[in-house]
Amino acid sequence: MTRAARRHLISIDDLGDEELRWLVRRGVEYAEGAHRDARPLRDTVVGTLFRKTSTRTRTAFSAGALRLGAQVIAYGPADLQENTGESAADTAAVLSRMLDALVARTAGDESELRTLAAQSTMSVINAMSAAEHPTQALTDLTTLQRYFGAVDGLRVLYVGEGNNTASALALALSRHPGTRLWLRTPPGYGLAPDYLGRATAHGERVGSRVEQRHDMARLPEADVVYTTRWQTTGTTKHTEDWRTVFAPFRVDRAVLEASGAGVFLHDLPAHRGDEVTGEVLDGPASLAFAQAENKYHSARAVLEWCVAAPDGT
C-alpha cells in the first residue's frame, strides 16, 4: 500500500519559522471556532502511546484526532511488545503499516522517537520526551497569541527548573523577533546548555534574547510569568536538599508585582504551595486553565499539519 509521506514533530527545531507561525495561527483559528466542520483526518487512524501519566496532552490529542475525523487506538506502557524487548525500529516497521500517526509520550531520550520516525508513512509526534515538550510550547504560544494578539515583542519571565517545558519554550519563543525570555532557574537545575545555545542562536538570527540567571534578585519587567511544577515527569533531582534550593523560586504575588506581569502561565498539573501559591494560580492574572484548553486546539493544528499536510505550510 502506498501512502503520502507524513511529517514528524519531534522537536520545535524540526519546524521552519513559517511552519511554527502557521501552527500557532491554526491553533488560534480552531480555538475561535474556525474549521468547525472540517475533517482533514477522515479515514485515518492515530495511535497514542503514553508510558507516563497524562491528563491534558493525552486528552487533547485523543479528542483532537476524533474531532478531525480520525479513529484512535490507545496504548499504555505495557501494551506493546516493546515492553518485552522488541526494538523501536521493529515497532515502527509494524505500526507504520497500520497507523497514520503515533503520538508518543516516552519521557525518555529523543533518539527513540527519531527511530520511530525513520519511515515515511506514519507521523510521529513527541508528546513529551525527557529533554523537550514541543507540543506544550505550541500550546503556550497559542495562548499568548490569543491573549495578546501577537507573540513578537513579548517579555516572558520563566521561574523554576530548566526542564523539558522550559527547553521547548526557549526554542519556540526565541524564534519570534523582539521577544525576551528571562530564565530564573535554581542553581544546578538550569536549561541544558545545548538548548540554551540553540535558543541564543535563534535570538541572534531574528532579534530576540534569552538570558538565564540562578537567583531571584532584581526581577526584570515582564508581560508574563511562567512556572511549572517542581517534580515534573521524566526528570529527577540530583541533590537531597533540592526543596531548599527550589524554595526561593516559588511564584507568589510578590513575584508578579515585582515583574509587573499581568499574566501568569502554568502547564499543569500544579502543586499549590510548592512552585506557585493558590492566590496566584487561582487569581485574576492566571491563564493556566485557558492554557490547558488551548492544548486541545493546538493538538488539532499539529495533527492536521503532520498527517494532512495542508497547503500553505
Side-chain angles (χ1 to χ4, degrees), residues 42 101 116 118 142 174 180 185 189 274 280 283 286:
R42 184 182 290 109
L116 291 170
T142 299
S174 61
R180 298 291 183 268
T185 58
Y189 292 93
D274 276 356
V280 170
S286 177

Side-chain angles (χ1 to χ4, degrees), residues 54-132:
S54 174
T55 297
R56 281 146 292 275
T57 305
R58 180 171 181 169
T59 304
F61 275 99
S62 298
L66 291 168
R67 295 285 189 188
L68 295 179
Q71 299 297 309
V72 176
I73 301 176
Y75 306 107
D79 287 343
L80 299 180
Q81 291 291 3
E82 61 174 12
N83 193 52
T84 63
E86 185 169 38
S87 69
D90 286 354
T91 299
V94 172
L95 293 183
S96 64
R97 286 166 165 79
M98 305 179 192
L99 300 179
D100 297 284
L102 179 68
V103 181
R105 168 167 290 190
T106 66
D109 194 85
E110 183 182 294
S111 61
E112 180 184 3
L113 293 169
R114 297 288 178 192
T115 299
L116 291 170
Q119 40 71 39
S120 61
T121 56
M122 177 183 72
S123 294
V124 175
I125 298 169
N126 179 3
M128 192 186 75
S129 61
E132 188 180 342

